Amino acid sequence: MIKALVIEDEQKSREMMVMLIERNCPQLQLVGAAKNVKEGVELINSLNPDLIFLDISMPDGTGFDLLEQVQGKKFEIIFTTATDKHALKAIKYSACDYILKPIDVDELKAAAEKVALKKNAIPSMENLQFLIQQFKKADDNYQKITLPTGNAYEIVNIKDIIRCEADASYTHFYLVGGKKLMISASLKHYEDLLPENDFIRIHHQHLINMQHVTRFLKQDGGYAVMSDGTQIEVSRRKKDAFMERLNRV
């Protein structure tokens, strides 16, 4: 069984989360619930949970303050948040799991199952350290992104991403220096996440970094030539938007 801990400041939300876990997540053993950072730290140190459902905003601090106080512990985290856009963006850039409030039962079950599938793996805390750093920034102009590759987290400079290519439910990242990463997330996810001033979808399979476009070939409808030498087809319905962006680079 996976030992789970809930840290949530609002009593009704905390009781609801406990009830939903007990009714819908048989693979989880709920070992405790805390209402603030102080109680959360105490329960983590005494119970050594495998999984924490962690609220972002609490009366005595944030979920990120809690994480700083339990460095050295290893556990999976599922963040629960409602309207904190800055925190949510930091979470997404750090490749951490989250559930939006109000809690959807299907999303909860899917998140719990995802953790269950990784039960025998030792949690990596590298992305959480990156997350804390990102959250502390005053703005959302992130220079790096965490990419989960299955058994590791790769922290990548956004400027080093040349292009992304869809492969069913996976996305291939092509980086400066010839490095290639396969990520278990859709291209649409990264289209929404990466800076729209730099990245543009020019084909249903391709998202490119305009800073790495070196030429535009007019033949056969048009191809964007990237800094790694690849030629990416520009679809007809994306061409006008691409040409407009190209003229602004």
Side-chain angles (χ1 to χ4, degrees), residues 20-67:
L20 290 175
I21 291 172
E22 290 178 340
R23 290 184 179 180
N24 298 281
C25 304
Q27 65 275 69
L28 304 184
Q29 176 191 0
L30 194 62
V31 295
K35 65 177 182 291
N36 54 37
V37 171
K38 183 175 182 295
E39 284 189 8
V41 171
E42 291 173 352
L43 289 182
I44 289 171
N45 287 329
S46 62
L47 298 175
N48 292 311
D50 304 307
L51 169 65
I52 297 174
F53 290 90
L54 182 59
D55 190 15
I56 301 298
S57 301
M58 288 174 278
D60 59 341
T62 69
F64 307 107
D65 294 325
L66 177 146
L67 293 175

Side-chain angles (χ1 to χ4, degrees), residues 202-204 220-222 233-243:
I202 62 170
H203 187 278
H204 72 276
D220 301 326
E233 180 185 358
V234 181
S235 70
R236 290 183 179 180
R237 65 189 187 91
K238 300 286 188 180
K239 187 174 181 179
D240 288 345
F242 170 74
M243 295 304 297

Side-chain angles (χ1 to χ4, degrees), residues 64-195:
F64 307 107
D65 294 325
L66 177 146
L67 293 175
E68 286 192 295
Q69 294 182 46
V70 294
Q71 294 189 54
K73 297 285 185 178
K74 289 186 178 292
F75 43 75
E76 300 288 347
I77 297 179
I78 298 174
F79 289 96
T80 58
T81 185
T83 58
D84 192 328
K85 293 182 179 179
H86 175 63
L88 184 57
K89 189 168 184 179
I91 290 168
K92 288 181 177 179
Y93 264 78
S94 304
C96 292
D97 285 339
Y98 66 93
I99 305 174
L100 295 176
K101 298 177 183 177
I103 303 299
D104 179 86
V105 173
D106 289 336
E107 289 185 5
L108 173 63
K109 291 165 69 175
E113 182 60 28
K114 186 175 179 181
V115 173
L117 292 173
K118 298 190 293 183
K119 183 179 179 182
N120 294 325
I122 299 174
S124 170
M125 308 304 281
E126 293 177 6
N127 60 324
L128 293 178
Q129 297 302 320
F130 177 69
L131 169 58
I132 293 170
Q133 295 172 12
Q134 298 305 304
F135 180 74
K136 287 182 175 179
K137 293 180 58 176
D139 57 50
D140 291 336
N141 296 317
Y142 301 137
Q143 304 302 311
K144 297 181 179 182
I145 187 170
T146 299
L147 301 175
T149 58
N151 58 355
Y153 289 95
E154 298 279 349
I155 298 176
V156 172
N157 286 313
I158 292 174
K159 65 180 179 61
D160 290 340
I161 301 172
I162 298 173
R163 60 190 180 92
C164 307
E165 182 177 355
D167 181 4
S169 60
Y170 291 86
T171 298
H172 296 284
F173 276 74
Y174 295 85
L175 310 177
V176 169
K179 191 171 184 179
K180 178 182 176 182
L181 301 174
M182 185 174 73
I183 312 301
S184 179
S186 69
L187 185 62
K188 180 66 167 63
H189 172 77
Y190 290 107
E191 180 184 8
D192 293 340
L193 192 57
L194 290 167

